[in-house]
Structure formats: structure tokens, C-alpha cells
Amino acid sequence: MNSTTLRSWISRCPAIICVSLLLAGTGEAQTFFEDVTQEVGMKAVMTRSLAWGDYDNDGRPDIFLSHTDKNSQIKGGIALLHNEEDRFIDHTDRLRADTSPQLRGGGANFGDYDNDGDLDVFVPMGTWVQSLQNVLLRNDQGIFVDVAEEAGLIDKVPSDNAIWLDYDRDGYIDLYVGNIYDTIAGRNTLYRNNGDGTFSDATEEAGLNLQMTPESGGTNSGMVAGDYNDDGWPDLYLGHWGPNRLFLNDGKGRFEDRTTSDVSEDNGTWGVVAGDINNDGRIDLFQVSGWWNNYRSTLMLNLGEGEFLDITESVGLLAMSQEEDVFGVGLADIDNDGDLDLLTGTMETRSFLYLNNGDGTFVDQSPLLGYKRQGIIPAFGDYNLDGFLDLLWRGSGPVIPLGLHRNNGNDNHWLRVELVGVESNRNGIGARLIATAGDLRQTREMLGGLGYSLDEMVAHFGLGQAIQVDALEIRWPSGKVDVLSDIPADQKIRVIEGRGTFHAIEPTRWATTLSDIVVLDSKINLDLSVHPAQFEPDAVITEVTVDLSPFGGVERAPLEAIGDSSYRLRDMELSFEGDSDFRTLSVRIDQTTSLGPHWVELSKTIAVHPSGDLAILNGPLGPNWRIEQVKGIEAVDLEQKATVRHGTTAGAFQVRQPSRNQGWRMEFQSESPVGTLGFTAVRFAFHPGDAKGAFSSILNFAVRGEGTAVGMEWSIDLVSSGHVDLGKQAWQDVEIPLERFSLTGGVTSIRFSGNLEGTFYLDDIRLVTATSTPPEPTAITEDHTAALSLSITLDQNYPNPFNSDTVIRLALPTSGDVELSIFNLAGQQVATLVQGVREAGTYTVRWDGRDDDGRELASGVYLYRLRMGNGGQVETRKLLLLR
């Protein structure tokens, strides 16, 4: 069928090309996503690719990142983020591989290459002009070991894309790797999985030893393997800066070039995706283009037999196709109405959301995305297990980091299907699933990545108002077919190949509540219980143990069965000594199943906070601290007593030979980085003495962290910001939150600089904890004023502890700007009770234990802090909320 015949055929099918103006599945105009990046504790990371996958089998998808920026808060080139229900914790220390901050390519993907039931990771190492050996991380029960050498992946190539596929359908997933900017080594490589833990180069025998583009050699703009001609064999669609390529699998171990004019249009592609957009049972293709004029993004309808037709404008995507900087693309049923919606990201302008009308036409609903963050590579996964797909964005450029957006959901129903291959590969990559619910029939294909991203490998079906799937057909890569019927909606099920059955799956969970935070030099009696999830109904749990070694205990303490399928460890005393840090409490669950051993690890990361402030200068310098990087200033006498504070000594500093052009500076440096965990701010006392500037007065303050490049730290002018008053001859307490600084790693130095001339005084420099109480105003020996005796008052709340609500009373000596806020013990502000200007007097505030979004806070200790004025008086107290 030629192109003219195709266009004539499509013109006779108005149901495909007409644009519906009805918005399906949105309900009232609520937003679809909420930015929860900070809420879940995700750090500012710049990354090239991202992947969802449950590496520890606890039932919750985790995140793997590659090519993290060297200035990111997660150090090194790769990162593993562990999902702990309501937060993500950095578990990069489980990756036993080189994590130096050299460049990595895209396409770092989870995949169970050895079919042992846990997810491994392939990491492309070279990018663009770098030729490096790639990394294969084998998952050894939660610890990832680089086995690239023993697996035979020893080529040093400039890899920039990678996907998993089982091209020969032998039950083991193979690797297809895109290599660029080298016309010889830069040709793509197909690695066949030999089934014994090794791989062989099969590029030549598969007919793929080709130079894909004249400029780059191989593929650099995304790739996706799918069955595009419905013969049961995985084909290849490759995106390029030049013409795209389509290769069809002949079922005999070779690929045939079936690139047509619609597929190969020279569009400067930056991302590709595949999915059935009009529920006709065929897998369609979409590619996005960016940066160059006259390039356009394209939606290609699958007409069968490997033929595609460009229908971009006719389905309502004209505006998006004309954007010049579209990079990432994703297809997912974000509103659970039974069709695939389209999400794209741009480098500099905005993101696009096009909702599917159910017939393969789209309506632009970008204003309903619910966030302003730009992003260029999307990946979808249900991180909170509510049945709605959440969105992970790779940020755009060097400014916008990684972002996680929670799906707000609606009243539509859903079904999620996890596959377990037996004769097919363990993840079921390449399997096709067809779900029928009433008149709604949907097709999903289990994909092994898109070149730069990997969605969670779970088939997701939105069902609209249907309460069950009437029939679910699964066509496995082995050729087997399972048909299931009458599956209730709103659950996640596991289907094992060839059984013809399914069972609902739940995550392994804690049956008792564990504290998120403890304090150093303390002890607790641990009463621990867990509720393990069985891999299959007949699985037998053989052992449940907990690793207490991070807390001074034994490595494998057994838990006993207590009925109701739960296991418990009673009254185990744990001590918290050493340095403040994160420590992981891990429960290991071993099972025997019909497929062999199966393991689950349930982890809880506990923050061990310092028991008190860390003094840096309090008379003498603190241990391990020194004054360095001194220019134009000297310490006159660290033990002088002319001006004192709290009845102790203070440091006197005198500017000598001030320079209007260069000024002066000094740093308090630590011999080793001081971790910021548990510390919320830097506090110090300042007395201006006779110091002042010749024309304008500048006193800069900065905190530098491990890995912060010189000149890259953020500084604050304490004078212009109002933190200090040079005209006030009194000790002034200054507190600067650590979050004001771009810290990477622990604190290495605290820096003062400026143009002041004369002598000023510093005292009581310290890192303060969330529970630290600011010092009371103190009388001084010179220029004492009656105003210094006036202070704000913050009473203890009543009742305390409380359940439903509590009352907080406060008194203000003068009118001024006031803020009364609630903080958790991690130092995060969770609620603001009073904010703005208030007159002098007494106030009563009632609080119902909810955060700023109206959600009930969990039981625990919280801090409430009253602050008056910018850098002014502060009072802090504790309260206890019991649900």
C-alpha cells in the first residue's frame, strides 16, 4: 500500500480524524497533578535519565537516576531513591559501582536480565564523544554489584540510549544500546542475552550493523521496541536528529529496514513513545522535536503491516507540533478514563497536556496540569499505590531539577497488572495485554524503556465507571495466551504465565509505627511488627529477620509469627551513639514459591539527630575548627573582655588596611565536613563596636558545603537584609536558616566578608538544632536601653498533649511583623498559624493539628515558633499531638 493509497483510505474514516470538543473524564476543572518534590524529601538533582522499578520487592516502585549532575545534592553519576511510602530516601550506597561525577548517557533501565525475581540495572556510561565501558548492576538481594566484565559487556563506546527487549523470544531480555558521534564505534549494538549471565554482540547477524545517520552514527534521541505489525515479534523504532528509522523483526533473528517517508521525516527528534491511542489494538508511534526551526513533532497512526500515517494536525495536536523546543514525551491514562493521554515537555517555555477524547483525538488541557515546573523527560509510576499514575519529570537545563508530581485522582476505576514470566522473560517485556470492560477495549504492551526513561513495568488500565474487567487476554512472548475473566476493579493483580489465574497483591507493610527521628545518646525499646505480602497464595514464609547492626545490635534478629500473618520482635533495646546520620532498619522476608526462592526487604530510614547545638566559637574556637582564608582582617584578641556577652568572653576582630575594591574576608573552617542532618540554622551573636563602612556598609555571610565550588555559595548581606543594625550598640542575635544556602554535602566553612572598618565582635557561633532555644536578650555593659528588656512571650500550649485542638497564647510588646509557625522535628515548616503585622497586646490562637493544606498531621512531637521582625526576637516551644 503506497502513501497515496494510505491517505485516500484515511480520508474515508472521519471517526479517526474528526476532533471532538468534549472533554472526557475530567469532571469539574480540577488540576491533575500536585508538585510533591519537597514533600517526599526528593533532593535537587539534575539527571539525564530516570527509571521506575521495585528493586527490593516490597511492593512500592523506587527510582533510579543516571548522569546526575556533579553539583547535585546527590553525589556521583548514578543514584537510587528508595520509596518509603510517603518519602524517598537516598540508597545510592547500595550501588557497588563507580559513582564519580563523570558523564553518563541516557537509558539507565531496570530489568531482570537473569530471571531471578529481582530487578537489575543497565547504565550507559559514555555520552556523545566519550567512549566508556558500560555498567551492568546485578541485584544481589538489595545490593547492586557491577558485573559488566563477567557478563561480557566490555565494549568502550559512546552510549547514549538503551532499552531492554527479548528480540529472539528465548525467555531472556536482550540489550539494544544506541551509540553516537562515532561512525564506527558509534553504531548501535544489539547484545543477545545468552541465558547464563553473559551477553554476546549480535548486531551483525541481526542485520543492524548500520550507520543510522551520517552525522551521529547511531541513535541518540530515544528508541522503543514494540510489536508494530502484530506478528508477535518485537520491532524497533529509533529516533534521530536526522531521519528516524523503523526495523521490523522477521521472526528468524534478523531485522528488516521498513522505514517509510512518514516515519523517516527529518524532524530533529528528541524523544519517542509507543502506545495504542485510539484503542484499535495497534501500537501507534509519537516523536517530539526541538531546537531547530521548521521541525515538527509527529503522531503516526499504525495502519497495520508496519505502515504508519502522519495524523498530527487532524487529531488536534497542531499547536504542540509547532513548538520548537519539545523534548520529552509520555503516553499514559492519567485520568483513568480508558484511553492514553499525551504529555510533552519543553526546554524553555511550558509543558503540554493533551487529553484523549477516547477516539484518538486530543484536546489541549495544559492549564489543568497543576504545576508550573518545566520538564523534558517524563516517566510514570504509581508511587503511593492509589491506582493513579504519578509523574516523574527530568528537569530542563541546569536550573530546573528533578520533580515528582502526585496525581490528584478522580472517581474513575482502574486495574493494574503485574506480569511474571515463566517461559517468557521474568518481567513479561514484550507481552501484549487486552482488557475488555463493557464496550471499552484497551491494548497495552509491556515496554522495556524509551531510551531516556522507563515507566513502571505494570500494565495500567483506566476503567472509567466500569467496576470490573470482563476479560483480560495476555499474549506472552513465549506464544502462550492466558485469558482471565471477571476481575474486580481498583486493585493490583499478579499474573503468572500459563496459570490462567490471578491474585490480588498488596505491599509488605509495617504493622507498627516507627519514629522517623531519634536523638543521639538516647535509648529506646523497640517493639517491631510487620505484615509480609506473599508472592503467591501458596508461598511459604520461611524466615523473617531484622538487621539491627546500624543501632549496635545483631545483624539477623528473628521475628516470631504472632497470627494474622504478622511477625513481631518485642522489647529490643536500641542505643543511638556516634555521629548524627541516617540509619536504616531493614526487615528481610524469605519465601519459597513455585518459581523458587523469593525475598522481600522492608526498610525504614531513621534520622539520628544531634542531641544539641554544635558550638564553633564560644569564647575559644570549638574542636576541629580554625580561622583560615583571612584577608585584610585579624583577630585582635579572642580572649579579650572589653565587651562581653553572657558573662563570658567574645572574639574581637579588627579590619586592617581595608580596600574599597576588594574588602576583607575570613572563614571559620572545619577539619572535616559537618553533616547538616538535624541542624536547621547557623546562629551567632554580633556587636558592631566601632566598625562601619566608609560610604556604604557591607557585611556578607555565607555557608559553604562539601563539594560547593568556590564562588558558587550564596551569600547574605547582613546589613541591607536587616539581620544586623550597625547603629545599635548592643549584642544582636542573628539566625540564618541553612536552607538559604546551596549546600552540597556537609558544612565545611562559615564565611564573613565586607567593607567595614574598625573593630566588631562575634560570639556564640553555632549550628543549631530544631529544638534549640534562642538565647534570651542579655544586658550589656555599654549603651543599655530600656527597650532591650521588652520581649515577646510565648506560653505553653494547653492542653498538651492534645488530640483535636489546642490553644496557644502569645504577647507582643510592640506592633510589628509576626509569624507563628509549626515545625516537625526535621525542621520542616508544616503549618503557619499567624502571619503579618499585629498590634501590641495578647493573642489567643487555636490550632486543630492540621497542616497548611488541611491534612491531619501524624502523632508526634512538634515545635511551635514565634518570630517577630526580620531577624528579630524568636521564641520556640514543644507540643505533643496524639491521634
Side-chain angles (χ1 to χ4, degrees):
M1 187 181 292
N2 58 36
S3 178
T4 302
T5 305
L6 288 173
R7 294 182 189 279
S8 175
W9 178 84
I10 198 70
S11 69
R12 295 195 299 270
C13 300
I16 295 177
I17 62 174
C18 69
V19 179
S20 171
L21 298 179
L22 298 177
L23 183 60
T26 61
E28 297 182 2
Q30 67 173 14
T31 57
F32 287 99
F33 294 99
E34 178 182 358
D35 190 342
V36 294
T37 311
Q38 293 185 346
E39 177 182 317
V40 300
M42 199 168 283
K43 297 182 179 179
V45 179
M46 315 305 295
T47 182
R48 188 167 176 81
S49 70
L50 35 85
W52 289 97
D54 180 10
Y55 85 87
D56 54 0
N57 296 324
D58 66 353
R60 300 176 182 84
D62 310 299
I63 296 171
F64 189 91
L65 308 172
S66 74
H67 183 181
T68 58
D69 187 87
K70 64 182 180 181
N71 290 322
S72 295
Q73 292 185 29
I74 292 180
K75 297 187 296 178
I78 53 181
L80 178 65
L81 306 183
H82 182 247
N83 185 345
E84 292 191 0
E85 297 188 52
D86 57 354
R87 58 180 181 168
F88 283 84
I89 302 297
D90 183 8
H91 275 198
T92 306
D93 58 354
R94 292 174 176 254
L95 307 177
R96 303 293 191 260
D98 172 26
T99 57
S100 60
Q102 54 187 309
L103 296 178
R104 266 87 175 155
N109 281 353
F110 284 111
D112 187 0
Y113 81 93
D114 51 4
N115 284 350
D116 65 349
D118 50 40
L119 290 175
D120 314 296
V121 183
F122 177 74
V123 187
M125 292 289 292
T127 178
W128 297 341
V129 296
Q130 287 190 326
S131 296
L132 301 172
Q133 182 175 309
N134 297 320
V135 168
L136 179 64
L137 296 173
R138 185 183 64 211
N139 187 344
D140 289 347
Q141 299 187 355
I143 301 297
F144 290 84
V145 180
D146 185 4
V147 295
E149 291 279 350
E150 62 188 79
L153 299 175
I154 59 176
D155 297 329
K156 292 185 177 181
V157 288
S159 304
D160 197 53
N161 281 239
I163 57 174
W164 296 104
L165 76 162
D166 185 3
Y167 86 96
D168 53 4
R169 290 175 34 178
D170 66 348
Y172 291 90
I173 52 175
D174 312 298
L175 268 171
Y176 190 65
V177 182
N179 310 308
I180 62 170
Y181 277 158
D182 188 324
T183 58
I184 299 177
R187 299 186 182 191
N188 297 341
T189 307
L190 175 64
Y191 294 102
R192 182 180 59 237
N193 189 332
N194 297 319
D196 58 0
T198 66
F199 291 81
S200 300
D201 188 340
T203 314
E204 180 72 38
E205 63 185 76
L208 294 172
N209 190 22
L210 306 170
Q211 185 173 334
M212 297 297 172
T213 65
E215 297 82 9
S216 61
T219 302
N220 65 293
S221 299
M223 54 178 69
V224 57
D227 182 8
Y228 305 128
N229 59 351
D230 302 320
D231 65 352
W233 293 85
D235 311 304
L236 286 170
Y237 176 58
L238 311 177
H240 300 102
W241 287 345
N244 299 329
R245 306 291 291 273
L246 174 66
F247 293 90
L248 298 185
N249 191 328
D250 67 0
K252 301 176 183 178
R254 291 185 63 84
F255 288 85
E256 299 175 355
D257 189 346
R258 295 288 293 274
T259 306
T260 64
S261 58
D262 282 54
V263 169
S264 67
E265 184 175 354
D266 191 355
N267 280 339
T269 301
W270 278 105
V272 299
V273 70
D276 181 9
I277 64 156
N278 57 352
N279 287 340
D280 66 351
R282 297 191 182 106
I283 304 303
D284 309 299
L285 295 171
F286 191 86
Q287 63 86 21
V288 291
S289 300
W291 269 9
W292 293 285
N293 291 328
N294 302 320
Y295 285 164
R296 55 189 287 277
S297 300
T298 309
L299 175 61
M300 291 169 286
L301 184 71
N302 189 337
L303 303 177
E305 301 179 0
E307 300 284 356
F308 289 84
L309 182 68
D310 180 354
I311 60 169
T312 311
E313 285 79 7
S314 63
V315 297
L317 298 176
L318 177 61
M320 184 274 300
S321 71
Q322 294 175 337
E323 286 287 327
E324 297 178 0
D325 63 344
V326 182
F327 272 59
V329 59
L331 283 172
D333 187 359
I334 68 168
D335 51 3
N336 280 355
D337 65 349
D339 49 51
L340 294 177
D341 308 301
L342 179 67
L343 186 67
T344 67
T346 63
M347 176 65 81
E348 296 179 353
T349 53
R350 65 187 180 102
S351 299
F352 290 90
L353 171 63
Y354 282 86
L355 290 184
N356 194 327
N357 292 315
D359 58 359
T361 62
F362 294 86
V363 174
D364 185 356
Q365 291 296 324
S366 304
L368 297 182
L369 272 170
Y371 60 88
K372 297 180 180 179
R373 179 190 296 267
Q374 296 157 256
I376 61 175
I377 300 292
F380 294 95
D382 182 13
Y383 88 92
N384 57 355
L385 309 184
D386 65 352
F388 288 84
L389 291 173
D390 308 302
L391 171 64
L392 187 67
W393 268 120
R394 167 195 159 189
S396 60
V399 178
I400 303 175
L402 183 74
L404 178 64
H405 306 280
R406 181 177 59 224
N407 194 321
N408 292 323
N410 53 36
D411 61 356
N412 285 337
H413 299 289
W414 50 273
L415 179 72
R416 292 173 57 76
V417 184
E418 178 184 301
L419 299 182
V420 179
V422 179
E423 294 183 22
S424 302
N425 66 83
R426 188 65 176 259
N427 300 136
I429 292 175
R432 180 167 289 193
L433 299 91
I434 304 165
T436 303
D439 295 332
L440 180 63
R441 180 180 173 89
Q442 305 174 63
T443 300
R444 300 288 183 266
E445 189 161 319
M446 201 69 72
L447 303 178
L450 300 174
Y452 288 108
S453 64
L454 176 70
D455 295 337
E456 186 182 0
M457 284 188 285
V458 175
H460 180 92
F461 295 96
L463 300 178
Q465 294 303 301
I467 61 174
Q468 75 170 22
V469 168
D470 302 321
L472 176 65
E473 179 181 337
I474 304 171
R475 302 173 185 172
W476 297 88
S478 66
K480 285 190 173 182
V481 177
D482 280 311
V483 179
L484 315 174
S485 60
D486 300 332
I487 307 172
D490 302 331
Q491 63 175 333
K492 182 180 178 182
I493 64 173
R494 179 175 290 137
V495 179
I496 300 176
E497 182 180 9
R499 305 264 177 102
T501 60
F502 69 90
H503 65 274
I505 55 177
E506 296 289 341
T508 294
R509 58 181 172 83
W510 299 101
T512 53
T513 301
L514 301 177
S515 174
D516 291 334
I517 300 171
V518 296
V519 177
L520 276 173
D521 304 322
S522 64
K523 294 183 179 181
I524 64 171
N525 286 321
L526 180 66
D527 192 343
L528 174 71
S529 59
V530 299
H531 187 83
Q534 292 173 281
F535 175 77
E536 58 186 348
D538 294 332
V540 177
I541 295 177
T542 57
E543 187 179 36
V544 180
T545 59
V546 59
D547 182 4
L548 300 176
S549 59
F551 310 96
V554 299
E555 187 172 347
R556 293 176 67 90
L559 279 69
E560 62 176 349
I562 59 173
D564 192 27
S565 301
S566 294
Y567 290 76
R568 186 176 185 181
L569 176 69
R570 303 172 186 267
D571 298 329
M572 175 67 70
E573 184 177 83
L574 297 183
S575 60
F576 299 89
E577 301 174 348
D579 299 324
S580 60
D581 57 9
F582 288 103
R583 303 183 193 180
T584 301
L585 186 70
S586 299
V587 173
R588 165 68 179 261
I589 299 140
D590 288 296
Q591 307 177 29
T592 58
T593 76
S594 60
L595 300 181
H598 179 73
W599 65 273
V600 174
E601 183 179 85
L602 183 63
S603 300
K604 171 75 172 184
T605 301
I606 298 173
V608 182
H609 281 200
S611 55
D613 298 347
L614 175 65
I616 298 170
L617 175 69
N618 190 16
L621 279 169
N624 304 319
W625 287 85
R626 64 185 184 277
I627 300 177
E628 296 285 354
Q629 299 294 324
V630 177
K631 175 187 175 184
I633 191 172
E634 63 180 354
V636 177
D637 181 6
L638 288 179
E639 299 294 333
Q640 63 83 38
K641 295 179 175 57
T643 300
V644 298
R645 181 175 186 273
H646 296 295
T648 63
T649 62
F653 299 90
Q654 184 178 60
V655 177
R656 52 192 176 96
Q657 298 177 348
S659 169
R660 188 180 306 171
N661 294 328
Q662 297 183 355
W664 54 266
R665 68 171 182 268
M666 67 172 177
E667 287 188 6
F668 293 84
Q669 293 187 353
S670 175
E671 293 181 1
S672 60
V674 177
T676 58
L677 178 64
F679 294 114
T680 61
V682 180
R683 184 190 299 151
F684 58 90
F686 172 82
H687 193 294
D690 61 2
K692 61 181 180 178
F695 298 97
S696 62
S697 297
I698 300 174
L699 178 59
N700 288 325
F701 175 79
V703 178
R704 178 177 296 168
E706 181 183 17
T708 304
V710 175
M712 293 300 293
E713 70 274 6
W714 295 95
S715 63
I716 300 171
D717 183 355
L718 300 175
V719 178
S720 64
S721 64
H723 285 87
V724 302
D725 182 355
L726 296 178
K728 181 179 178 180
Q729 287 296 306
W731 280 106
Q732 302 166 40
D733 292 307
V734 180
E735 183 173 308
I736 310 293
L738 287 174
E739 63 185 20
R740 289 286 301 270
F741 306 98
S742 180
L743 295 178
T744 56
V747 172
T748 57
S749 68
I750 294 174
R751 180 176 183 176
F752 292 87
S753 61
N755 69 346
L756 302 182
E757 302 178 25
T759 302
F760 62 87
Y761 304 92
L762 292 172
D763 191 16
D764 199 18
I765 304 176
R766 63 180 56 230
L767 295 174
V768 299
T769 64
T771 57
S772 176
T773 302
E776 295 290 334
T778 305
I780 59 174
T781 58
E782 55 188 15
D783 295 332
H784 178 270
T785 65
L788 290 177
S789 64
L790 298 176
S791 64
I792 59 178
T793 300
L794 181 64
D795 292 340
Q796 184 65 51
N797 66 302
Y798 178 83
N800 189 41
F802 74 101
N803 173 264
S804 58
D805 62 323
T806 189
V807 172
I808 301 173
R809 291 186 175 86
L810 56 100
L812 308 178
T814 61
S815 62
D817 195 45
V818 176
E819 180 180 276
L820 176 62
S821 301
I822 307 292
F823 295 80
N824 60 26
L825 291 183
Q828 298 168 318
Q829 185 170 331
V830 295
T832 302
L833 308 186
V834 176
Q835 189 172 45
V837 176
R838 297 291 189 276
E839 297 295 328
T842 301
Y843 292 83
T844 299
V845 180
R846 186 179 296 274
W847 182 48
D848 61 0
R850 298 177 182 269
D851 65 14
D852 286 333
D853 295 323
R855 294 172 297 202
E856 289 188 349
L857 293 172
S859 298
V861 176
Y862 293 84
L863 308 175
Y864 60 105
R865 185 184 71 183
L866 176 64
R867 181 192 294 272
M868 186 171 185
N870 188 6
Q873 301 177 69
V874 176
E875 286 283 348
T876 303
R877 289 184 180 272
K878 295 181 183 179
L879 56 79
L880 179 59
L881 171 60
L882 296 178
R883 294 293 185 190

